[in-house]
Amino acid sequence: MDVSSSVKDKVEGVEAELEQLQKENAALRLMLQVMSNKYKMLSEAYFRESNSQVPTICRGLTRFDLCEDQHSHKNILIPQLQLAANSSQVFVETDPRDESHIVRDGFQWRKYGQKVTKHNPFPRAYFRCSMAPGCPVKKKVQRCMEDKNFLMVTYEGRHNHEVNPSIGQSLSSPSSSATTSTPGFPNSVLDNPLRSAITLDLNLSSENSSGNGNGNGNGNDDDYNNKRSMEDHVAASLAKDPSFTLALAAAVARSITEHPKPPTN
DNA sequence: CGATTTTGACCCGCGC
DNA sequence: GCGCGGGTCAAAATCG
């Protein structure tokens, strides 16, 4: 009896973990797709603009780290991304029927506008942080066109106050602390970003452009190369993201502690 | 009654 | 200069 119940518990635990991993996998696939689309659009725009100056060697931009080395274009990597120096994009899985744009991220927000944008039929909502007077942080919430199950949340700016743990019930774990926060970004997301949200750091500007550079010499328009490069880049970005590594470490630790050595019978 | 949301109007940057 | 699109304002409505 004990053995069967133990096995049943174990199976349920594995199933729950599998389900969680499937959700995380879906979120990561979506993130990759979105990034791939954005990358494709931006690279096309970039090459249209710079085609006369950089004839062939950067076509395809299959790696971000070669263009700078070969052409010394320190800041060539898409000026729009440099504008987002304090921005972070988060994907939050929600019910597609839910039109409330509510994302519990540990902060209190006040909605100040809503707009339908050109390339996305879903309205974009604009929020300001109302937890502290004068807090400059804003966020934009819009349902993802590629997958209606996800909300794209873009944070801008840095908070001038601490998070209120009682507010972030959905994304933050009850035992999480505010000590590991990255300034400007929700602690709850960073504490456990893979629970129900995926954080995508778009700060490609300073570190990546100066450290790794841009572009590639052997590229063409091949989708395979583009996808490979995007995967490489996203993987590198995730690896650099402390919140991702923290979450990964937490997931590994969880799997170890929650599933200790199998019962010996 | 104060806080928040809604929503049309307005502002501003950008491309043509 | 003009039109377009994204972002913000602000008055009215709604909520707790």
Side-chain angles (χ1 to χ4, degrees):
Chain A
M1 201 45 137
D2 287 346
V3 174
S4 66
S5 65
S6 163
V7 168
K8 192 179 174 184
D9 287 347
K10 197 176 172 185
V11 167
E12 286 175 355
V14 169
E15 283 176 349
E17 191 172 1
L18 183 62
E19 187 179 347
Q20 183 62 38
L21 286 171
Q22 284 171 341
K23 283 183 181 177
E24 292 169 6
N25 191 34
L28 286 167
R29 281 179 186 279
L30 171 68
M31 187 169 72
L32 183 61
Q33 187 181 347
V34 170
M35 280 298 293
S36 183
N37 289 343
K38 286 182 179 178
Y39 159 79
K40 203 171 176 181
M41 288 166 53
L42 288 168
S43 62
E44 282 172 1
Y46 165 70
F47 289 121
R48 268 198 304 273
E49 187 175 323
S50 63
N51 211 19
S52 58
Q53 298 165 354
V54 186
T56 57
I57 201 156
C58 273
R59 283 191 72 229
L61 201 70
T62 60
R63 285 200 180 277
F64 286 106
D65 53 358
L66 294 180
C67 207
E68 178 204 345
D69 294 339
Q70 297 180 1
H71 300 281
S72 299
H73 290 168
K74 282 286 179 189
N75 296 321
I76 204 166
L77 215 188
I78 305 151
Q80 285 110 315
L81 293 180
Q82 292 185 359
L83 295 176
N86 280 335
S87 74
S88 173
Q89 195 170 51
V90 176
F91 288 81
V92 180
E93 189 175 6
T94 64
D95 188 339
R97 293 162 297 182
D98 180 14
E99 298 176 0
S100 64
H101 288 111
I102 293 174
V103 178
R104 293 178 183 276
D105 51 17
F107 294 92
Q108 191 175 347
W109 301 94
R110 179 174 177 169
K111 189 176 181 180
Y112 65 90
Q114 181 164 314
K115 197 86 174 175
V116 176
T117 56
K118 191 182 177 185
H119 299 294
N120 192 333
F122 301 103
R124 175 184 294 169
Y126 299 90
F127 295 88
R128 272 198 198 93
C129 181
S130 61
M131 276 185 75
C135 180
V137 178
K138 297 172 189 172
K139 74 171 179 180
K140 292 178 281 191
V141 180
Q142 188 171 30
R143 192 161 292 283
C144 189
M145 209 166 46
E146 286 85 354
D147 190 336
K148 301 184 183 91
N149 291 313
F150 287 87
L151 287 175
M152 280 190 298
V153 187
T154 305
Y155 295 92
E156 290 177 10
R158 291 172 180 269
H159 291 281
N160 60 4
H161 55 87
E162 293 297 318
V163 62
N164 180 356
S166 64
I167 296 176
Q169 296 166 352
S170 173
L171 293 184
S172 61
S173 58
S175 60
S176 65
S177 71
T179 54
T180 57
S181 149
T182 295
F185 301 127
N187 298 314
S188 55
V189 173
L190 296 184
D191 283 345
N192 204 345
L194 294 181
R195 265 304 176 202
S196 54
I198 300 296
T199 299
L200 177 60
D201 189 355
L202 294 178
N203 298 341
L204 298 176
S205 55
S206 58
E207 190 176 338
N208 287 356
S209 60
S210 62
N212 295 332
N214 328 297
N216 172 21
N218 60 356
N220 51 32
D221 293 325
D222 188 356
D223 277 353
Y224 174 76
N225 281 340
N226 283 344
K227 283 188 177 179
R228 276 291 303 273
S229 67
M230 266 326 297
E231 287 168 3
D232 289 350
H233 181 68
V234 168
S237 177
L238 287 174
K240 283 181 191 173
D241 188 344
S243 64
F244 176 77
T245 51
L246 272 174
L248 188 60
V252 172
R254 198 172 59 241
S255 69
I256 293 171
T257 55
E258 288 181 2
H259 303 290
K261 60 181 179 181
T264 55
N265 285 334

